[in-house]
Amino acid sequence: MDGIITTDDSWEVAGRRFRSRLIVGTGRYKDLPETAAAIEASGAEIVTVAVRRVNTSDPSAPLLQDFVSPERYTYLPNTAGCHTAQEAVRTLRLAREAGGWNLVKLEVLGPPPYLYPDMAGTFEAAAALIADGFEVMVYCADDPVAAKRLEEMGCVAIMPLGAPIGSGMGVVNPYMIRAIKAQARVPVLVDAGIGTASEAAFAMELGCDAVLLNSAIAHAGDPVRMARAMKAAVGAGRDAFLARRMPRDYRADASSPTKGLIAG
């Protein structure tokens, strides 16, 4: 029934079902053991892998899969570091050849210092990848028109930024995130910009299906502890959304009854 929280609050993307609504990255940690410990603490079931930056095939160097098992976690190859549609498409085609991955995260970035999504390049790359049979989760601007167009093209999840990548500024435009979610028929995930647990909870309170983050954990003073905090925050934010918060009102509303008071 409407409003009843069931024990199964899983979500689905491209026919795959997950219980954790936190997706975490695998980069920027001091070493692979710390990467593995933080991911374990996060409770995540999906981990992003920057194909151009992470060693997954050279046995002479440490391999990510030796620490973060692809049998336990769903690997989500991404195009971090790609600034053109051609680079992004080539990167994901190579990833599919190397690991058989078909569910992917597309991002085409603009120039520094903001690395804002290059939407022209994103549309071009998404069209090519979808035509090539990929299931595309797409990083994009917090623009409801662009987000809807990507969904209509066939992207399986829409991932608007909360704030610029690695900025730790949180969700700076919650109104547009809410608008994107309101019109979407595929999962919506806040991706990039989250810096601490309260910001992850806020993203979930907006109704997002999940949160993707990396730097907030990897750059914390204690990444494992922050991973635990993010796990709790995403769960709390989801529960708060399902519970439906009380209305806002500029007037006071006493929490104790005002009738039948003992005369003073």
Side-chain angles (χ1 to χ4, degrees):
M1 293 192 307
D2 183 41
I4 300 299
I5 302 175
T6 65
T7 55
D8 180 15
D9 186 37
S10 59
W11 66 291
E12 183 176 310
V13 59
R16 299 163 176 85
R17 187 159 290 279
F18 302 96
R19 291 194 58 80
S20 174
R21 292 176 181 270
L22 176 60
I23 300 174
V24 296
T26 54
R28 316 198 81 171
Y29 294 92
K30 69 178 182 181
D31 54 32
L32 286 173
E34 183 180 77
T35 304
I39 292 172
E40 169 76 23
S42 77
E45 296 170 287
I46 305 175
V47 296
T48 61
V49 179
V51 179
R52 302 181 73 192
R53 295 173 177 164
V54 174
N55 175 37
T56 58
S57 58
D58 179 6
S60 65
L63 293 171
L64 175 65
Q65 55 264 44
D66 289 340
F67 294 85
V68 181
S69 171
E71 296 180 0
R72 177 177 178 185
Y73 299 98
T74 296
Y75 274 30
L76 183 66
N78 70 35
T79 56
C82 292
H83 292 270
T84 69
Q86 293 76 21
E87 284 180 333
V89 171
R90 182 169 60 252
T91 296
L92 291 177
R93 284 174 175 162
L94 289 171
R96 183 161 66 181
E97 290 179 12
W101 296 298
N102 204 55
L103 179 66
V104 297
K105 178 195 168 187
L106 168 65
E107 55 184 82
V108 181
L109 303 178
Y114 303 111
L115 300 176
Y116 202 75
D118 179 336
M119 293 311 298
T122 299
F123 287 128
E124 181 183 347
L129 291 167
I130 291 166
D132 205 13
F134 283 93
E135 296 165 316
V136 180
M137 300 174 69
V138 60
Y139 175 65
C140 64
D142 51 348
D143 175 351
V145 176
K148 192 62 180 178
R149 180 180 171 191
L150 288 165
E151 178 186 338
E152 291 170 347
M153 289 172 64
C155 292
V156 299
I158 306 300
M159 307 171 75
L161 80 168
I165 292 171
S167 67
M169 293 177 63
V171 179
V172 298
N173 198 345
Y175 308 103
M176 291 301 98
I177 299 294
R178 195 189 299 271
I180 290 169
K181 176 57 183 173
Q183 68 181 3
R185 296 181 180 273
V186 297
V188 174
L189 298 77
V190 163
D191 180 5
I194 298 298
T196 192
S198 60
E199 295 160 1
F202 180 53
M204 295 303 297
E205 288 173 10
L206 293 173
C208 292
D209 296 279
V211 170
L212 191 157
L213 54 86
N214 185 179
S215 298
I217 295 176
H219 285 179
D222 185 338
V224 174
R225 185 179 291 272
M226 182 60 80
R228 290 200 300 268
M230 290 297 184
K231 177 182 179 180
V234 167
R238 176 64 178 171
D239 278 347
F241 171 73
L242 293 176
R244 301 189 302 276
R245 63 157 291 142
M246 63 175 290
R248 289 184 170 92
D249 194 329
Y250 71 92
R251 298 165 298 183
D253 182 13
S255 58
S256 300
T258 56
K259 294 182 179 181
L261 297 179
I262 300 173

